Amino acid sequence: MPLLTSYDPINRTPLGDVPITEPADMPAVILSAKKAQKSWAALSLAQRQQKVVQAYERLTSVEDQLALLISKEMGKDYRRASYEVGGTVQNADYFTQEIAQALQSESMGRNGEMQYRPLGVVAVISPWNYPLAMANNLLLPALVAGNSVVLKPSEETPLVADLFVKTLNQVLPENVLQITHGDADTGKSLVNADINMVAFTGSLAAGKHIMASAASGLKRLVMELGGNDPLIVMAGADIDEAVQFSVASSFENTGQMCTSTERIYVDERVADEFEQKVVALARRYQAGPWDQKNVNIGPIVNPKQHAKVLSQLEDAQTKGATFLLGKHQYALPYIQPTVVTGITPDMLLEQDETFGPVVAISRFMELSEAVERANASPYGLGAVVFGGAGAKAVAEQMEAGMVAINQGAGGLGPWVGAKQSGFGFHGTAAGHRQFSQVRVISK
Ligand code: NAD
């Protein structure tokens, strides 16, 4: 049986293997998922809720192991990894209740009822940057809704996902939750299999491919895709707060986050002060191995992603940007904190999502110019405005699913992307219902 090896991103040493699910194996996986789904759906919502909560309780015994695996497989520091695990395990009870509440049948006058029925088999395909949370966000609502789930985690972080699923399966009925392993090819064969829905978090390119493949069977979709989030710093902003946010948000998770700040547009009148303070703060960050003291930026997940960030920095260098901190060349696997100003619309740092610890700044004279550039992207995940009284009017012009004023975007309400950052979403009652088929009964 072919194996998928997980590597430590710091030194590329192998951490462990999992069996690859080959296309020929997929029909049997789906057949067993279909069978299991029938009896799972036959349970009441309350019974499923109870089972799911019991299953998540099992995870408390492996919290440390999960956090350590996250750190080892993708290089996030242990404190952040523990936070990710804690959020998944400790909030499961609350979210399970919220999901069950959202799926209660609704009366439609005296003669009708609207029901939220399971869809069948749901494929959950997840990325590596929050390897536990991203899988969980889609898998939990799908399961409670009465679907069986086949998870295909990222090939970068298979060990975390494997332990997660194996632990839940100590309690869940057989084959209600299964895991398949491999790279994009395994993902493709899962999408093409006889399933009912694909819930995907990952890149725009993969999302487009999945959407096209899902069309023939009209498979339901939830797509949580990439972002290129803008931040506008207005002249009336609290500059110190804007600086704190800009650096923290550009560097969080080593910049490998869908809603990290990607492009900063700062008013010329406050730009000198802003840039000086950003550089002073960014200097205090240090990239290195996650288990060393004073390190708060980890490795880039793999050599391909590292090369991609370098090509974006190199492009900015060639086109005339100014490096206020750092440079455009770094050795594997790190990218030290980097601050670049003078970004123009023709640069890759402006056009593409940058998955690295880079603060990318442009100055503007007119607010309208900043808004136009902020919106001139196919992505529309998050957007942030720092400013005084006029900030709300600017925020309302942002083409994004999650917009925030003087703080980070997202976390309130559903996790939702606009434009090519999303198609469907999760979170809150409206999100939980996307894993169900609405059925109307007239009596
Ligand atoms: P990716 O698209 O390369 O891979 C994600 C998953 O999809 C992996 O499991 C991969 O094997 C699989 N895959 C790739 N191509 C496929 C295909 N054609 N068919 C089926 N499966 C396929 O993304 P990544 O590098 O793992 O993650 C980073 C991306 O995820 C970034 O763009 C980031 O912004 C995005 N992301 C979005 C959110 C969100 O909530 N919107 C959250 C986290 C990450």
Side-chain angles (χ1 to χ4, degrees), residues 125-128 152 155 187 200-203 209 225-226 258 353 415:
I125 304 180
S126 55
W128 50 266
K152 207 303 278 174
E155 56 274 35
F200 173 71
T201 301
S203 63
H209 190 271
L225 307 178
C258 56
E353 181 175 37
W415 191 262

Side-chain angles (χ1 to χ4, degrees), residues 124-130 134 137 152-156 182-191 198 200-210 213 223-228 256-259 262 301-302 304-305 353 355 379 381 402 415-417 421-422 426:
V124 171
I125 304 180
S126 55
W128 50 266
N129 61 343
Y130 291 85
M134 294 301 109
N137 285 344
K152 207 303 278 174
S154 169
E155 56 274 35
E156 303 292 345
D183 59 13
D185 286 341
T186 305
K188 286 175 190 167
S189 72
L190 177 56
V191 171
V198 186
F200 173 71
T201 301
S203 63
L204 173 57
K208 283 182 178 173
H209 190 271
I210 289 171
S213 308
M223 309 248 109
E224 301 277 9
L225 307 178
N228 190 6
Q256 303 172 126
M257 184 170 136
C258 56
T259 48
E262 301 278 333
V301 73
N302 62 31
K304 194 172 153 208
Q305 288 285 349
E353 181 175 37
F355 250 38
Y379 293 106
L381 191 55
M402 298 175 287
W415 191 262
V416 55
S421 283
H426 71 271

Side-chain angles (χ1 to χ4, degrees), residues 22-59:
E22 295 199 280
D25 307 329
M26 205 53 88
V29 172
I30 303 305
L31 194 63
S32 60
K34 274 174 180 289
K35 279 192 190 147
Q37 193 269 331
K38 295 241 178 317
S39 21
W40 182 237
L43 297 179
S44 69
L45 192 49
Q47 286 170 322
R48 287 200 299 269
Q49 189 185 346
Q50 195 187 17
K51 270 273 175 230
V52 167
V53 168
Q54 281 168 1
Y56 274 75
E57 276 165 9
R58 284 294 169 103
L59 292 171

Side-chain angles (χ1 to χ4, degrees), residues 160-217:
V160 178
D162 214 59
L163 178 60
F164 177 49
V165 167
K166 280 190 175 135
T167 310
L168 292 175
N169 277 340
Q170 290 170 10
V171 175
L172 292 175
E174 198 180 8
N175 296 331
V176 163
L177 172 62
Q178 295 182 72
I179 191 161
T180 54
H181 285 296
D183 59 13
D185 286 341
T186 305
K188 286 175 190 167
S189 72
L190 177 56
V191 171
N192 287 325
D194 186 17
I195 57 167
N196 305 91
M197 175 177 187
V198 186
F200 173 71
T201 301
S203 63
L204 173 57
K208 283 182 178 173
H209 190 271
I210 289 171
M211 208 164 161
S213 308
S216 64

Side-chain angles (χ1 to χ4, degrees), residues 55-331:
Y56 274 75
E57 276 165 9
R58 284 294 169 103
L59 292 171
T60 53
S61 62
V62 292
E63 280 193 61
D64 283 350
Q65 252 175 294
L66 285 167
L68 201 55
L69 274 177
I70 291 176
S71 291
K72 284 183 173 170
E73 283 197 292
M74 59 76 62
K76 184 180 305 197
D77 64 75
Y78 185 76
R79 185 179 62 81
R80 282 187 168 77
S82 300
Y83 186 72
E84 184 177 341
V85 175
T88 301
V89 177
Q90 283 144 34
N91 295 331
D93 192 359
Y94 171 82
F95 283 119
T96 303
Q97 274 186 46
E98 191 186 80
I99 297 161
Q101 188 61 38
L103 302 183
Q104 298 296 328
S105 297
E106 292 170 39
S107 155
M108 299 176 71
R110 267 187 304 159
N111 301 327
E113 191 175 85
M114 183 154 76
Q115 303 173 335
Y116 296 98
R117 304 293 307 150
L119 283 160
V121 180
V122 176
V124 171
I125 304 180
S126 55
W128 50 266
N129 61 343
Y130 291 85
L132 190 65
M134 294 301 109
N136 181 63
N137 285 344
L138 303 175
L139 177 157
L140 182 63
L143 278 179
V144 179
N147 304 293
S148 57
V149 169
V150 181
L151 173 65
K152 207 303 278 174
S154 169
E155 56 274 35
E156 303 292 345
T157 50
L159 303 180
V160 178
D162 214 59
L163 178 60
F164 177 49
V165 167
K166 280 190 175 135
T167 310
L168 292 175
N169 277 340
Q170 290 170 10
V171 175
L172 292 175
E174 198 180 8
N175 296 331
V176 163
L177 172 62
Q178 295 182 72
I179 191 161
T180 54
H181 285 296
D183 59 13
D185 286 341
T186 305
K188 286 175 190 167
S189 72
L190 177 56
V191 171
N192 287 325
D194 186 17
I195 57 167
N196 305 91
M197 175 177 187
V198 186
F200 173 71
T201 301
S203 63
L204 173 57
K208 283 182 178 173
H209 190 271
I210 289 171
M211 208 164 161
S213 308
S216 64
L218 215 74
K219 291 164 189 166
R220 302 305 191 255
L221 295 171
V222 164
M223 309 248 109
E224 301 277 9
L225 307 178
N228 190 6
D229 289 11
L231 160 63
I232 295 181
V233 181
M234 296 168 66
D238 180 321
I239 296 300
D240 289 331
E241 282 189 12
V243 166
Q244 288 283 342
F245 175 78
S246 300
V247 174
S249 173
S250 298
F251 292 172
E252 182 56 33
N253 209 30
T254 309
Q256 303 172 126
M257 184 170 136
C258 56
T259 48
S260 61
T261 295
E262 301 278 333
R263 309 172 276 148
I264 301 175
Y265 303 101
V266 57
D267 192 303
E268 182 68 50
R269 287 169 287 178
V270 293
D272 284 345
E273 180 190 357
F274 177 81
E275 286 181 353
Q276 281 160 17
K277 288 182 168 172
V278 161
V279 171
L281 183 55
R283 267 189 211 291
R284 288 164 40 191
Y285 281 73
Q286 170 68 39
W290 55 269
D291 54 356
Q292 276 186 18
K293 271 196 171 169
N294 302 326
V295 160
N296 36 24
I297 290 179
I300 300 295
V301 73
N302 62 31
K304 194 172 153 208
Q305 288 285 349
H306 190 268
K308 185 170 178 204
V309 179
L310 289 192
S311 72
Q312 292 167 326
L313 294 176
E314 178 109 45
D315 171 79
Q317 163 87 5
T318 313
K319 291 177 179 159
T322 305
F323 282 67
L324 299 176
L325 182 68
K327 49 192 179 159
H328 63 282
Q329 282 296 339
Y330 295 104

